[in-house]
Amino acid sequence: MEILFYIFGVVAIVAALSVVFQRTPVYSALSLIVVLAALAVIYLLLGAPFIAMVQVIVYAGAIMVLFVLVIMLLNAGHEGPSAHRAKFARWVGPPLLLAFLVEFGVIVWKQYGLTGAASAPALDASPAAIGRLLFKSYILPFEVTSILILVAVLGAVVLAKKQL
Amino acid sequence: MIPLSHILLLSVILFTLGAAGFIIRRNVITVFMCIELMLNAVNLAFIAFARRLPGLDGQLFVFFVIVVAAAEAAVGLAIIVALYRNRNSLAIDDVDSMKL
Amino acid sequence: MATFSDTEFFLIETVIKIALIMFILLTAIAYLTWLERKVIAHIQSRWGPYLVGPHGLLQPLADGLKFMFKEDIAPLEADPVVYWLAPFLAFLMAFLSIAVIPFGESFTLAGHVIQLQITDLNVGLLFVFAVTSLGVYSVALAGWSSNSKYPLLGGLRSSAQMISYEVSLSLGVIGVLMIAGTLSLREIVNQQAGLWAHAGLFSVLPRWNLFLQPLGFLIYFTAAIAETNRIPFDLPEGETELVAGFHTEYSSFKFAIFFMSEYANMVTVSAIATLLFFGGWLGPSFGPYWLRVILPVLWFCLKLFCFLFFYIWVRGTLPRFRYDQLMAFGWKFLLPLGLLNILVTSFVMAWLHS
């Protein structure tokens, strides 16, 4: 089972590289879908089947479809070279990101060691258990998100109208 | 069992890639996709910690993050469409003034 | 005879099951096209395919050969990678959901219990929805990558249609899930065993969810027809306006793949309807052991066949919707109806529990 984690971890990283370095938006979107699917498999391995399915249904099946549709509608083609590229960002950005990566790696290593096992007791992550928690302890955040979605729907309608 | 540190490392690599893309890309849609990538890296960390603790709360946080991401994508893409209509371009460099 | 360990047995069992199911499904799909042409022909007072084999029974084989040996024409300006990817994505997504569909009970062979299902997930139904929601990509990408006007319009139309009706599709099912309290398809079927007790005149009826959720079933099946892009909701490929919609520029084998996945989607959707509302493989079971294993599978196939026949029947009967009618129907009628169904179901359940 562990080997599956590493396989899909590598798939996720390669696809993420492709998201960042592809110059055609459609290819970036397709690579992001691969990342999402690989992460869904990893969620399954980590004992979160419900979240894995929600990830595929909502993220890959709805959000990314919106992205692909917008790319198709706007006919976003090949990304050309930038007219005015900031030299400063080019020389400072990558080292800073690398520093962030190393820093975080050191923290993880100090805290958990290289083989600090993720303890895996039998955790009941069935949809029923998640639903019980969601509608009992987390009922207020749940209702607040529903209002958030309502606001988002209104905002999207207002923004997408031709005449503002 | 899968070590927690390996999951966290995968998460931070994905997050860094997302951040890098956010900085170097010039297309608004690609920049937006890199934000989604960073959100997903955080989700992975949540799931890993939920397993470590153990508790379901981390998984619920991921659920909420996904819901918020859906709302954000709807509004964000509407903004991008409006932007394209006004400037006729998706390059992020062209959006450098508040008014046309 | 060599003895296998449990893991080996599981692997071999799964591979055999997958191969067998794929073979049966592909054959069934081939003959579904034959059935469709025959039934439609008889509805329209024609004979249908009659030349290849008795009653045209070898027609699917001839069609398959024709598709394979036809010249594969791709548009010059098409996106090379995505144009290839789209049909295979369609095929993959259409056949992946079969993995969690149970089609019979289990039987014992050489001390091992073999379930008539590739795998039983406790989130089975969610898995089916996840996979079908990914099916949108094949249509959208096929339309976009052809780099041609009609496919693009067809692709945009059908993605909008599929996303819209997916909502109603899941809303129609939620009533059943509330009653069953599980997402495992096998368990949902097992809960429908037996007859209605204490129901007076109706106690001869089986305990199918259909009688508890008639509205849910209507919503589900209407949305399912739209989800699989079939008449009367086949706007994505409305021949009179869009040539052939998203697969206009596809020919030869790639077109055949789109064709097959459409029929595979029909089978999946009908199978889910059978499992959720019509008691799956449940039915009279009697006789020796082997017969009691075979009969449930037969009942399941019979119910499935009824749904597929209904699909074809509808195609021969109803005209196509207009696009704005389709969207209005989905959002302004089916969606509120689904919400109402959930509301009523939850009220009744709360009343019964108190």
Side-chain angles (χ1 to χ4, degrees):
Chain A
M1 288 308 251
E2 286 106 275
I3 189 77
L4 279 177
F5 169 76
Y6 295 105
I7 293 173
F8 282 97
V10 170
V11 168
I13 291 174
V14 171
L17 278 171
S18 163
V19 172
V20 175
F21 294 107
Q22 284 287 353
R23 293 207 154 254
T24 317
V26 171
Y27 290 163
S28 284
L30 288 179
S31 312
L32 188 53
I33 294 163
V34 174
V35 176
L36 297 175
L39 284 181
V41 175
I42 290 177
Y43 293 170
L44 269 182
L45 293 175
L46 293 178
F50 179 73
I51 295 297
M53 291 306 140
V54 169
Q55 162 103 349
V56 177
I57 294 176
V58 179
Y59 240 122
I63 299 179
M64 287 315 293
V65 172
L66 270 184
F67 273 93
V68 172
L69 277 186
V70 167
I71 294 171
M72 279 165 63
L73 265 177
L74 304 185
N75 206 4
H78 202 73
E79 184 182 329
S82 171
H84 36 88
R85 189 180 288 236
K87 286 238 170 59
F88 181 70
R90 199 201 301 181
W91 292 113
V92 176
L96 275 181
L97 281 174
L98 206 66
F100 174 74
L101 195 63
V102 171
E103 194 179 343
F104 197 89
V106 169
I107 292 172
V108 167
W109 176 55
K110 281 257 166 82
Q111 191 72 29
Y112 301 108
L114 267 183
T115 50
S119 52
L123 187 63
D124 178 24
S126 65
I130 296 230
R132 223 166 275 131
L133 193 61
L134 187 62
F135 288 110
K136 281 187 177 152
S137 318
Y138 286 86
I139 185 72
L140 184 67
F142 182 76
E143 295 297 337
V144 172
T145 41
S146 68
I147 295 172
L148 178 77
I149 289 180
L150 190 66
V151 172
V153 168
L154 289 178
V157 169
V158 169
L159 280 168
K161 276 183 88 163
K162 281 230 160 65
Q163 304 282 308
L164 270 183
Chain B
M1 277 325 349
I2 308 153
L4 180 66
S5 49
H6 294 193
I7 308 171
L8 290 179
L9 271 182
L10 175 63
S11 162
V12 77
I13 291 172
L14 291 180
F15 188 89
T16 316
L17 281 172
F22 180 79
I23 294 167
I24 63 172
R25 295 273 48 145
R26 288 284 171 272
N27 187 316
V28 191
I29 298 179
T30 320
V31 167
F32 201 5
M33 281 193 278
C34 290
I35 297 176
E36 300 291 333
L37 189 58
M38 295 192 318
L39 276 177
N40 270 285
V42 175
N43 282 353
L44 179 61
F46 265 129
I47 296 274
F49 282 123
R51 189 186 170 84
R52 165 90 177 184
L53 269 176
L56 281 183
D57 305 64
Q59 297 194 9
L60 273 188
F61 276 38
V62 175
F63 179 80
F64 284 124
V65 169
I66 292 178
V67 172
V68 172
E72 170 222 335
V75 178
L77 287 170
I79 290 175
I80 290 178
V81 172
L83 193 76
Y84 185 76
R85 226 178 248 139
N86 284 330
R87 317 249 166 176
N88 213 5
S89 154
L90 283 174
I92 215 160
D93 299 327
D94 293 346
V95 196
D96 50 2
S97 54
M98 295 288 277
K99 270 178 76 183
L100 270 177
Chain C
M1 194 182 137
T3 48
F4 299 115
S5 72
D6 274 357
T7 331
E8 280 170 339
F9 191 86
F10 171 75
L11 278 178
I12 294 169
E13 177 202 335
T14 311
V15 168
I16 290 177
K17 272 198 278 196
I18 292 172
L20 211 63
I21 289 175
M22 279 300 280
F23 175 73
I24 293 173
L25 197 63
L26 285 173
T27 321
I29 287 169
Y31 276 91
L32 196 56
T33 61
W34 174 82
L35 184 80
E36 171 151 29
R37 291 176 68 180
K38 266 308 203 205
V39 171
I40 296 254
H42 282 280
I43 287 175
Q44 299 164 345
S45 303
R46 293 184 286 116
W47 281 112
Y50 216 93
L51 288 177
V52 194
H55 289 267
L57 266 173
L58 294 177
Q59 186 70 42
L61 207 66
D63 282 345
L65 282 176
K66 189 193 85 177
F67 275 130
M68 260 192 259
F69 291 113
K70 241 180 127 174
E71 189 191 353
D72 190 9
I73 305 165
L76 204 60
E77 291 286 302
D79 187 293
V81 182
V82 182
Y83 183 77
W84 273 94
L85 191 67
F88 292 103
L89 212 59
F91 189 81
L92 184 70
M93 293 315 159
F95 284 82
L96 204 57
S97 41
I98 304 291
V100 292
I101 287 175
F103 47 90
E105 283 167 45
S106 53
F107 65 94
T108 331
L109 183 77
H112 292 277
V113 177
I114 296 180
Q115 289 206 321
L116 290 175
Q117 179 182 19
I118 293 177
T119 177
D120 188 18
L121 289 180
N122 69 345
V123 287
L125 195 62
L126 279 182
F127 179 80
V128 176
F129 281 134
V131 170
T132 40
S133 71
L134 290 183
V136 187
Y137 286 113
S138 60
V139 176
L141 291 174
W144 175 80
S145 66
S146 300
N147 211 343
S148 160
K149 285 199 177 56
Y150 288 127
L152 184 64
L153 286 173
L156 282 174
R157 261 190 187 190
S158 57
S159 342
Q161 172 181 336
M162 285 166 94
I163 296 174
S164 313
Y165 276 87
E166 218 171 75
V167 184
S168 313
L169 193 76
S170 4
L171 282 183
V173 166
I174 284 179
V176 172
L177 296 184
M178 282 161 68
I179 292 167
T182 174
L183 285 167
S184 158
L185 289 166
R186 185 165 282 275
E187 226 164 286
I188 292 175
V189 172
N190 282 333
Q191 284 178 4
Q192 301 176 50
L195 302 175
W196 288 107
H198 326 294
L201 209 58
F202 298 108
S203 52
V204 288
L205 292 174
R207 269 181 58 129
W208 290 346
N209 280 332
L210 173 73
F211 304 112
L212 293 173
Q213 287 286 322
L215 197 58
F217 171 69
L218 283 180
I219 296 166
Y220 171 80
F221 206 64
T222 317
I225 293 176
E227 185 73 13
T228 44
N229 294 334
R230 292 279 302 186
I231 284 179
F233 305 111
D234 69 333
L235 273 300
E237 39 190 288
E239 290 90 345
T240 40
E241 34 200 293
L242 283 176
V243 189
F246 62 91
H247 54 58
T248 305
E249 300 289 354
Y250 282 89
S251 58
S252 166
F253 203 62
K254 288 198 280 263
F255 170 74
I257 288 177
F258 273 123
F259 204 67
M260 281 195 294
S261 40
E262 182 183 321
Y263 281 87
N265 278 330
M266 273 165 63
V267 172
T268 313
V269 162
S270 310
I272 295 291
T274 311
L275 294 170
L276 293 185
F277 296 99
F278 284 81
W281 61 82
L282 298 171
S285 177
F286 48 80
Y289 185 69
W290 61 270
L291 197 64
R292 272 181 288 141
V293 173
I294 298 286
L295 267 179
V297 181
L298 269 181
W299 294 130
F300 180 75
C301 293
L302 195 71
K303 290 170 185 173
L304 199 61
F305 176 80
C306 291
F307 275 110
L308 294 172
F309 184 83
F310 183 75
Y311 256 112
I312 300 170
W313 187 12
V314 166
R315 182 178 168 188
T317 315
L318 293 179
R320 183 178 298 137
F321 272 64
R322 222 171 52 216
Y323 194 65
D324 57 320
Q325 288 172 337
L326 172 92
M327 280 299 171
F329 181 72
W331 286 109
K332 293 182 188 163
F333 180 71
L334 224 47
L335 187 71
L337 206 62
L339 291 173
L340 185 76
N341 187 37
I342 292 172
L343 209 63
V344 170
T345 310
S346 51
F347 270 124
V348 170
M349 280 180 74
W351 182 58
L352 285 180
H353 276 285
S354 63

